[in-house]
Amino acid sequence: MPKSDGTMYPWERAELHQANVRYQNAVNKVKMHPNSAGINEADEKKAFADLMRITAKYAGCK
């Protein structure tokens, strides 16, 4: 949970950052390998869902 003053702990920021990086990597993989887009799109969707879950978890933080 976030601190009482509404800011995030460093590990919470790291969790959010890592989810964002995983999503960006999945998007780039789809762009770089259009022939295997079906497989990579599934990874992109999972990474996006994870990013949205973590974003919602820390939505009220600064």
Side-chain angles (χ1 to χ4, degrees):
M1 287 310 283
K3 297 181 194 175
S4 60
D5 63 357
T7 59
M8 296 171 69
Y9 289 104
W11 61 83
E12 293 171 333
R13 280 194 304 272
E15 181 183 16
L16 186 59
H17 176 71
Q18 288 171 353
N20 191 22
V21 167
R22 278 192 305 270
Y23 175 66
Q24 293 302 322
N25 286 342
V27 168
N28 289 335
K29 192 183 279 188
V30 169
K31 289 179 185 176
M32 289 172 36
H33 304 286
N35 294 336
S36 60
I39 296 168
N40 294 329
E41 283 178 0
D43 290 338
E44 179 186 354
K45 287 179 182 180
K46 288 166 76 175
F48 182 73
D50 191 41
L51 176 61
M52 290 299 103
R53 180 185 58 81
I54 293 170
T55 301
K57 183 177 176 182
Y58 301 121
C61 298
K62 298 177 185 174

